[in-house]
Amino acid sequence: MLEGRDIISINDFNKKEIEAVLDKSEEMEDILREKKCMETMKGKILANLFFEPSTRTRLSFSSAMHRLGGNVISLEKIKTSSMAKGESLTDTIRMVDKYSDLIVIRHPDEYSAKMAAGVAENPVINGGDGANQHPTQALIDLCSIRKFKGKIENLNVTLLGDLKHARVIKSLAYGLAIFKANITLVSPAGLELENKTVDELKSNFGITVSQTNDICSGIKNADVLYVCRMQKERFKDLQEAGEMQNTYRITPELLEQGKDSLIVMHALPKVGEIDHRVDQTKFAKYFEEAAFGVPVRMAVISLVVVG
Ligand code: NCD
């Protein structure tokens, strides 16, 4: 179904394909639990190209490839590559494509992954292109919601934080729309999700999207509260990012005002927008969500490379 495909945006998937990834990821979870060795990717090489900081995406892609029996090569800094000598990203991709069977790229430029896919013969997976998209994170988020809630359809999902710059929000919003969840957007003034995206969510998918600046009303009827940090690296004015950082802070007291079954998710890293006391509560699901990174990426890699 996904064999040979590039994974650039969550919009590259239809509902059936997302469900196929989530089902495959459950199979991968069973294999991980049983500590079985896999040979699905034996002799294959994944190239991890990360031109922006990353812990979870980079390491979980590596871990997933190793668990599948394959190998990983990586480029983590421009300054240790020939790009420091002025080589273009395009030429770099052209070469790495010949050294590997699959490329994962994270880069600050929007559409860098699309460009890479246009140059590479092997599949390219977008590990985050600027403020644009992070499709495998959305798959992890959808997998987590399905696990914790048993379904995605008709849930009330509140997306909260710097919705303007967070690629995880943009990708997840479209993913939720595919499953007809109801979305509430909560952000500080000036950091709203762009109108184009909101309009597309409503008109192309026919879902309810409401917007507010008030956290309490955003939490009240939510089944899932998805929080994201201020994306400081995408602000022109760092001082403004610092000021915004303290606008919203999720506390256990605040969460007690929501549904008893409310869950809190976050792609991580969290850097102060969630009070650390929340970690100890029944609401916190973000560490489990992060752990799904390995089986979901195992599913994506194997579906893309071997079908
Ligand atoms: C996110 C990212 O890089 O977009 N992190 C991740 O991949 N888990 C979220 C973020 O950095 O805020």
Side-chain angles (χ1 to χ4, degrees):
M1 190 184 257
L2 296 176
E3 193 177 348
R5 288 245 303 258
D6 300 307
I7 310 292
I8 306 304
S9 161
I10 194 70
N11 295 318
D12 296 340
F13 293 86
N14 60 35
K15 189 175 171 191
K16 262 208 162 77
E17 289 164 344
I18 295 180
E19 282 171 336
V21 174
L22 303 194
D23 292 345
K24 186 84 174 170
S25 113
E26 302 220 346
E27 280 173 39
M28 297 300 177
E29 262 187 85
D30 292 340
I31 288 163
L32 288 172
R33 210 172 293 119
E34 290 162 22
K35 300 216 178 298
K36 280 195 202 148
C37 289
M38 295 188 76
E39 299 205 335
T40 321
M41 289 295 135
K42 196 168 174 204
K44 304 268 188 214
I45 297 177
L46 176 148
N48 247 344
L49 308 184
F50 277 73
F51 302 108
E52 268 192 350
S54 171
T55 299
R56 275 149 290 268
T57 306
R58 185 168 51 90
L59 294 182
S60 63
F61 263 115
S62 295
S63 174
M65 189 62 177
H66 287 299
R67 297 281 193 207
L68 290 166
N71 295 299
V72 179
I73 55 172
S74 56
L75 210 165
E76 277 147 33
K77 286 191 194 94
I78 289 180
K79 60 173 195 246
T80 56
S81 76
S82 288
M83 288 172 77
K85 301 177 189 169
E87 186 171 42
S88 66
L89 181 61
T90 321
D91 283 358
T92 306
I93 298 292
R94 240 176 227 128
M95 292 319 308
V96 174
D97 186 40
K98 302 289 176 231
Y99 301 159
S100 60
D101 302 284
L102 173 69
I103 294 176
V104 178
I105 179 169
R106 168 172 290 189
H107 194 281
D109 292 348
E110 296 194 8
Y111 308 109
S112 49
K114 196 170 177 196
M115 180 284 290
V119 172
E121 281 173 21
N122 287 316
V124 170
I125 299 179
N126 182 5
D129 56 343
N132 187 36
Q133 279 275 330
H134 194 349
T136 57
Q137 182 62 46
L139 293 169
I140 294 164
D141 299 336
L142 293 170
C143 164
S144 309
I145 295 174
R146 197 174 80 157
K147 287 240 161 219
F148 297 132
K149 293 291 181 186
K151 62 167 191 174
I152 304 167
E153 291 82 0
N154 298 321
L155 288 178
N156 297 329
V157 182
T158 296
L159 307 176
L160 181 144
D162 177 0
L163 308 185
K164 180 178 175 184
H165 300 109
R167 54 197 174 203
V168 294
I169 295 293
K170 207 163 151 193
S171 303
L172 179 57
Y174 284 108
L176 291 168
I178 292 171
F179 284 85
K180 305 274 182 240
N182 310 309
I183 299 179
T184 299
L185 304 169
V186 187
S187 60
L191 295 180
E192 290 87 1
L193 188 63
E194 60 177 6
N195 286 335
K196 180 178 167 281
T197 306
V198 176
D199 293 345
E200 279 181 12
L201 292 171
K202 289 183 187 165
S203 59
N204 297 359
F205 299 91
I207 60 159
T208 315
V209 182
S210 35
Q211 282 179 286
T212 172
N213 299 123
D214 176 38
I215 306 190
C216 289
S217 71
I219 288 179
K220 206 163 158 240
N221 293 315
D223 298 299
V224 178
L225 173 66
Y226 191 99
V227 185
C228 73
R229 72 181 169 93
M230 291 297 142
Q231 308 280 301
K232 277 190 193 150
E233 64 276 37
R234 313 213 190 282
F235 276 72
K236 287 191 185 84
D237 179 353
L238 264 183
Q239 196 184 333
E240 189 198 355
E243 284 160 17
M244 292 277 199
Q245 177 69 46
N246 301 321
T247 356
Y248 287 169
R249 192 174 169 77
I250 305 301
T251 61
E253 294 74 21
L254 199 60
L255 295 172
E256 291 296 344
Q257 295 177 33
K259 287 188 181 178
D260 198 42
S261 57
L262 173 67
I263 60 167
V264 180
M265 294 176 55
H266 194 305
L268 304 177
K270 57 182 174 69
V271 287
E273 61 282 357
I274 298 183
D275 186 316
H276 66 89
R277 291 175 301 144
V278 175
D279 296 358
Q280 264 50 267
T281 67
K282 63 178 184 200
F283 305 111
K285 295 291 179 196
Y286 27 86
F287 295 120
E288 284 172 78
E289 176 190 353
F292 290 133
V294 176
V296 170
R297 289 182 169 124
M298 286 170 78
V300 173
I301 293 170
S302 63
L303 287 170
V304 163
V305 179
V306 293

